[in-house]
Amino acid sequence: MINITLPDGSVREYDKGITSMQIALSISEGLARNVLAAEVNGEVWDASRPIEQDSTVKLLTWNDAKGKSTYWHSSAHLMAEALEALYPGTKFGIGPAIETGFYYDVDFGDIQFSSDDFKKIEDKMIELAKTKSDYIRKPVSKVDAIEYFTEKGDEYKLDLIKDLADGAITLYSQGNFTDLCRGPHIPNTGHIKAVKLMSMGGAYWRGDESRKQLTRIYGVTFPKASELADYVHLIEEAKKRDHRKLGKELELFAFSEKVGMGLPLWLPKGAALRERLTRFMQNAQVKAGYEQVITPHIGHKNLYITSGHYEKYGADSFQPIKTPQEGEEFLLKPMNCPHHCEIYKTKPRSYKDLPVRFAEFGTVYRYEQSGELHGLTRVRGFTQDDAHLFCRPDQVKDEFKKVIDLVLYTFGALGFDNYTAQISLRDPDNKAKYIGSDETWALAEAAIIEAAEEKGLPTVVEYGEAAFYGPKLDFMVKDALGRKWQLGTIQVDYNLPERFELEYTGSDNQKHRPVMIHRAPFGSLERFVAVLIEHCAGNFPLWLSPEQFTILPISEKYEDYAKKLSDELKNSDICGLIDFRDEKIGRKIRDAEVKKIPYMLIVGEKEAAEGLVSVRRHGVGDLGSMSIEDFKQQIIKEITV
Ligand SMILES: [Zn+2]
Ligand SMILES: [Zn+2]
């Protein structure tokens, strides 16, 4: 008999050679129907693989990330089976699962293939899935594996086998298809109920441009047709909300090849939006005891040698700028922390002075490969809402709580109400790889956990995910489409205070090292605005909206009245423009709707004569006519909510 420990800590006895599927069956038939694979001693296995010794077992279903990934990888095998049936002689490269779905790199030889053929393949996959063929694992010798794929004539698999050790090679078969694969897979193809091939493209074999280009086909599968329908809807909605598309339509930002890739240009409306976010954060920070500082965009190379950035990232960064006379080297600032450490050192600090909190909207530059650049989410120059807190070890918990308050206040004002906090701690089995004493780490880790608990945050704890220089807390936000974004990081740092020899005088009159905390609720303004655009589909909260109203005169006769209204609203800090174009009112309304301007104020003869405005709210419709005073009050009420 062997002992099997389950995730709830319970231990059950089974015969040696029991499979995870049999364990599931012994618990409930319903569970067994949903088991896709199992994690055995931390490794994902086929549910049909015999377990020979005492083990911890976690059964994996569609609800587990590892279960999904096994499912999607198995779907790649199913697609290969369909391709082989429809296009005999097709050769196969690799077919992994990806974040959502899977791909397979294939060589069609002389066959012409296009996305018009997707439907045929999808149908074949469903037909094959219905046979409920088991995925059968077969360990083989290297010689036998080579013989099999030589006979089949698949040079890509032979190329892969070359690098494998004899004794560690397995083949998997389902239906009429056999693949070289280390597994694991789901029990049978019957779990796959809905299929969609998403796109295709070229991919060099083994990522090597000198080798053959294969066809990469992306697909996604689901255990229910309704889940596929939801997914397709999500993709369409995401396309509509793409910040690159809306950024252009709403005239927020642009890119210019002449200026340089990955360097966003903020247009007037985007700059207005960004200004408001900045002011919002500055006001909140002043209330929370932060002091604003300003540092230059470049720093001497020695600064980054001291901080360790040069050694770690220097080769992959923008290269140093040299002064023409002295040949001194400067780097574009990749982060603000080293500058802030030098600000800390400008005067002696006592334990009574701490904490000090330096905040800066610091623009930093990081080299990203051109292929990695993406709208505002991956850029080469961006502005962080950065701050560094320098405190005593006994102040870490309080500082964390205050930063959590600030982050939650920000999320609340911007409509992000679905979040979890991920706490990243040391790997308890490998403490040597972290800098700082065991004692300070234990203190900081406990402080973060307690702070999160006292603030009632929903948390997940990840061991081994801390940086080598300190534990951290990250906020993971779900947007309106259920997509996850990491926003807001609070990071403890024992490394920089050491490297910059930061000190304070303690109550014992001795010198001590302060603890440094990095934090940025938005992260970068660029990325935050991108997430915000996609979250609210460009319908910003009124207080943030760069153009809160547009006045639409029915004809030029009412322009003077429109100007008078506009001035009056501007005097109350409500901003907007007048549409002076010689267009029909219907056209003006439609254009304002496209620009997602919150309020449209229509003025004609009646309004001008009686001192009224006819109000339309974007996404709502006609609100009727009201006095300008009532309209002002309505806006002020909405902004302050
Ligand atoms: Zn496989
Ligand atoms: Zn920092």
Side-chain angles (χ1 to χ4, degrees):
M1 300 295 275
I2 53 171
N3 288 321
I4 298 296
T5 309
L6 297 169
D8 63 358
S10 65
V11 180
R12 292 173 175 232
E13 258 196 356
Y14 292 99
D15 288 333
K16 205 167 160 227
I18 185 94
T19 67
S20 306
M21 186 53 81
Q22 288 164 330
I23 295 171
L25 266 170
S26 77
I27 298 169
S28 95
E29 243 175 78
L31 175 63
R33 265 198 302 280
N34 290 316
V35 165
L36 298 175
E39 210 171 332
V40 179
N41 301 321
E43 205 179 304
V44 184
W45 279 22
D46 299 325
S48 59
R49 189 161 161 191
I51 303 169
E52 305 291 351
Q53 54 203 335
D54 290 354
S55 298
T56 59
V57 173
K58 183 181 183 218
L59 300 167
L60 300 174
T61 68
W62 178 251
N63 295 323
D64 301 288
K66 287 173 181 167
K68 272 200 184 83
S69 143
T70 307
Y71 182 94
W72 280 326
H73 167 66
S74 305
S75 302
H77 283 249
L78 181 67
M79 181 171 79
E81 186 184 0
L83 289 171
E84 192 166 78
L86 293 168
Y87 309 100
T90 299
K91 294 169 190 175
F92 297 94
I94 54 162
I98 52 176
E99 201 183 333
T100 307
F102 58 89
Y103 69 76
Y104 218 126
D105 288 345
V106 301
D107 181 353
F108 284 111
D110 296 333
I111 297 165
Q112 290 301 313
F113 182 87
S114 79
S115 54
D116 295 341
D117 301 307
F118 282 181
K119 176 78 173 65
K120 192 163 71 176
I121 299 162
E122 289 164 3
D123 291 347
K124 190 72 183 175
M125 284 173 73
I126 290 295
E127 178 195 321
L128 293 168
K130 282 183 180 157
T131 63
K132 296 189 180 166
S133 308
D134 290 340
Y135 287 87
I136 299 160
R137 181 177 190 269
K138 186 180 167 200
V140 290
S141 69
K142 194 161 179 166
V143 172
D144 287 348
I146 290 171
E147 194 190 313
Y148 178 82
F149 286 104
T150 305
E151 205 165 293
K152 197 179 172 193
D154 196 327
E155 68 249 37
Y156 304 104
K157 295 294 171 185
L158 288 169
D159 193 41
L160 293 171
I161 293 169
K162 257 194 350 217
D163 300 340
L164 300 177
D166 201 2
I169 300 175
T170 50
L171 301 184
Y172 274 88
S173 305
Q174 95 273 4
N176 290 320
F177 180 74
T178 298
D179 206 345
L180 170 77
C181 189
R182 80 171 89 85
H185 301 94
I186 59 176
N188 65 65
T189 58
H191 288 273
I192 299 166
K193 297 271 169 51
V195 175
K196 186 160 177 65
L197 301 193
M198 305 300 294
S199 62
M200 57 185 279
Y204 291 106
W205 175 236
R206 301 207 139 178
D208 180 348
E209 284 177 39
S210 68
R211 304 180 84 167
K212 187 154 183 191
Q213 197 176 41
L214 308 184
T215 304
R216 178 168 293 179
I217 305 176
Y218 290 94
V220 67
T221 48
F222 290 93
K224 277 187 198 148
S226 61
E227 287 191 50
L228 174 60
D230 289 348
Y231 178 71
V232 170
H233 173 73
L234 184 84
I235 299 264
E236 281 163 9
E237 195 52 37
K239 262 189 211 155
K240 279 188 227 156
R241 290 168 178 243
D242 190 323
H243 75 276
R244 294 168 299 174
K245 175 176 167 283
L246 285 176
K248 206 180 251 171
E249 285 170 13
L250 306 179
E251 298 176 15
L252 298 174
F253 59 89
F255 288 92
S256 144
E257 262 179 46
K258 273 234 167 76
V259 170
M261 292 172 90
L263 298 169
L265 303 173
W266 290 87
L267 308 180
K269 283 183 197 171
L273 175 86
R274 194 177 138 149
E275 266 304 305
R276 284 170 199 214
L277 281 171
T278 306
R279 229 180 301 139
F280 166 84
M281 186 58 73
Q282 269 169 346
N283 289 342
Q285 286 179 169
V286 167
K287 279 184 208 148
Y290 289 72
E291 296 168 291
Q292 202 72 23
V293 295
I294 298 171
T295 65
H297 287 237
I298 63 174
H300 199 285
K301 185 171 146 187
N302 287 339
L303 179 69
Y304 303 104
I305 290 175
T306 301
S307 71
H309 291 117
Y310 186 75
E311 193 191 359
K312 215 165 163 105
Y313 306 108
D316 302 318
S317 298
F318 284 115
Q319 293 306 291
I321 308 160
K322 281 191 188 151
T323 56
Q325 295 287 330
E326 308 85 341
E328 276 185 297
E329 293 189 293
F330 290 84
L331 291 182
L332 281 172
K333 180 165 74 174
M335 49 234 310
N336 306 300
C337 345
H339 287 79
H340 291 188
C341 286
E342 286 299 308
I343 292 179
Y344 179 88
K345 285 177 82 168
T346 53
K347 64 178 186 186
R349 311 272 174 184
S350 119
Y351 70 99
K352 288 188 210 150
D353 303 329
L354 302 186
V356 291
R357 310 179 186 93
F358 298 138
E360 176 174 19
F361 284 82
T363 303
V364 297
Y365 301 88
R366 294 182 192 169
Y367 172 71
E368 299 273 1
Q369 288 180 16
S370 53
E372 301 287 318
L373 298 171
H374 181 90
L376 289 182
T377 55
R378 285 294 281 275
V379 286
R380 286 178 172 170
F382 55 93
T383 303
Q384 297 176 308
D385 59 327
D386 211 359
H388 295 97
L389 322 180
F390 300 88
C391 65
R392 306 189 306 258
D394 64 291
Q395 293 172 320
V396 171
K397 179 173 155 188
D398 254 5
E399 287 309 299
F400 255 80
K401 281 167 74 174
K402 284 181 188 153
V403 179
I404 290 170
D405 282 340
L406 187 64
V407 172
L408 296 187
Y409 170 66
T410 308
F411 287 177
L414 294 159
F416 291 107
D417 44 19
N418 193 341
Y419 54 83
T420 49
Q422 180 180 313
I423 300 176
S424 300
L425 305 178
R426 274 180 305 180
D427 174 357
D429 300 327
N430 196 1
K431 290 184 181 171
K433 75 172 191 190
Y434 303 93
I435 97 148
S437 74
D438 202 28
E439 194 192 337
T440 48
W441 268 84
L443 198 69
E445 290 186 339
I448 297 174
I449 293 168
E450 284 169 27
E453 224 170 62
E454 286 171 30
K455 287 289 161 194
L457 293 183
T459 53
V460 254
V461 174
E462 297 285 353
Y463 291 92
E465 287 294 307
F468 77 93
Y469 53 86
K472 63 172 176 169
L473 186 152
D474 291 309
F475 284 87
M476 311 299 287
V477 174
K478 259 194 190 173
D479 71 8
L481 299 185
R483 296 171 301 177
K484 272 194 196 161
W485 301 89
Q486 190 221 305
L487 292 179
T489 295
I490 321 174
Q491 166 88 57
V492 177
D493 189 344
Y494 295 115
N495 183 40
L496 288 184
E498 201 64 48
R499 283 179 164 269
F500 281 89
E501 299 176 329
L502 306 184
E503 288 177 341
Y504 67 91
T505 309
S507 56
D508 56 3
N509 236 345
Q510 302 292 308
K511 297 289 185 198
H512 299 272
R513 287 260 183 270
V515 181
M516 184 174 179
I517 299 172
H518 312 250
R519 45 102 284 178
F522 292 150
S524 94
L525 279 164
E526 282 72 9
R527 186 165 168 281
F528 188 81
V529 167
V531 174
L532 185 63
I533 291 172
E534 299 200 4
H535 177 58
C536 68
N539 295 304
F540 302 108
L542 190 62
W543 67 269
L544 204 55
S545 205
E547 206 176 337
Q548 293 163 321
F549 67 82
T550 176
I551 301 177
L552 312 177
I554 286 181
S555 80
E556 65 189 50
K557 272 195 279 176
Y558 311 108
E559 280 176 6
D560 286 343
Y561 180 58
K563 279 183 205 153
K564 197 182 125 217
L565 283 178
S566 171
D567 289 344
E568 207 172 326
L569 290 167
K570 274 181 191 154
N571 286 339
S572 305
D573 269 337
I574 303 165
C575 58
L577 295 169
I578 305 170
D579 188 345
F580 285 119
R581 291 176 307 161
D582 186 19
E583 293 284 355
K584 290 247 159 38
I585 190 71
R587 172 70 191 270
K588 288 185 181 182
I589 291 174
R590 273 199 306 281
D591 289 348
E593 290 280 1
V594 170
K595 288 189 191 155
K596 298 176 191 272
I597 297 166
Y599 283 99
M600 285 157 263
L601 306 178
I602 299 145
V603 292
E605 191 177 353
K606 177 170 176 281
E607 286 80 11
E610 297 175 27
L612 300 174
V613 284
S614 273
V615 182
R616 274 183 78 88
R617 179 78 168 96
H618 172 75
V620 176
D622 198 356
L623 302 184
S625 53
M626 57 184 82
S627 74
I628 190 69
E629 195 49 42
D630 285 350
F631 174 67
K632 259 196 313 203
Q633 288 314 316
Q634 168 156 348
I635 288 222
I636 289 164
K637 204 173 130 207
E638 194 177 331
I639 290 173
T640 39
V641 161

